[in-house]
Amino acid sequence: MGRVLIACERSGVVRRAFEALGHDAWSCDIEAADDGSNRHIRGNVLDHLDDGWDLMAVMHPPCTILCNSGSKHLYLGMKKANGINPERWAKLEEAAAFYRALRDAHQIPRRVVENPVMHGHAIRLTGRGRTQFVHPYFFGEPFFKNTGLELVNLPALRPTNMLKPPRPGTAEHKAWSRCHREPPGPDRARRRSETYPSIAAAMADQWGALLPEPQMELFGSLAA
């Protein structure tokens, strides 16, 4: 079983999926774990990249700055004609640098970075590479949430239970769009960012199977 770091996660959804299959899985975030787990590192994940991980899954980088829907905020008054918003651009460059630092952590042989549908400036600044996009309904959960996974030395996830999406305009389609219809509130961003359990289970099952078995210490001398 492998040693797995789930970066930028406080919910514990992905950590628990890997842990359930016997992996030495830890989450890390600047906030405390929602489930109170003792397998959660509270702190800056950049300080823990050299701790001997076999795989790192970065689940929630600062997506509100990188996502396509936030591009209008890069400009004063949300209008390009007004010129750039220097504060917002500085935050974009900071978020992109954080993304790159995790994606390019070569000391961890297998890496995946979750990312939203990015605007062009974010794609350019992050240098985003090979990216797979998935929805929860690829894995048996009746919801829309287009999620990018930039993969480094990992294969694309295989859908496990592809559902047929409902027709637009129907009540069922609205129910599937729950993520995009979250009401305003202090927890809206956190609720929208949480990983669906079916996707976490697919990650643990498919990517966990690629991880090396632990090295067993040999005691005694070898027979001549």
Side-chain angles (χ1 to χ4, degrees), residues 170-210:
T170 63
E172 187 180 9
H173 191 277
K174 290 181 180 179
W176 278 43
S177 303
R178 183 186 69 182
C179 175
H180 308 293
R181 302 169 68 85
E182 285 280 357
D187 294 328
R188 183 174 189 265
R190 181 177 63 82
R191 290 196 303 267
R192 291 187 64 183
S193 69
E194 286 185 1
T195 305
Y196 283 78
S198 62
I199 297 178
M203 291 176 175
D205 179 50
Q206 297 177 32
W207 293 338
L210 304 175

Side-chain angles (χ1 to χ4, degrees), residues 10-13 15-16 19 27 32-38 40:
R10 55 181 284 189
S11 69
V13 172
R15 169 183 24 88
R16 290 192 298 270
E19 193 177 358
S27 53
D34 291 345
D35 60 0
S37 174
N38 62 359
H40 178 79

Side-chain angles (χ1 to χ4, degrees), residues 84-99:
I84 66 170
N85 182 330
E87 181 180 352
R88 191 73 177 185
W89 273 88
K91 290 182 178 179
L92 170 61
E93 291 175 352
E94 181 181 358
F98 181 69
Y99 184 103

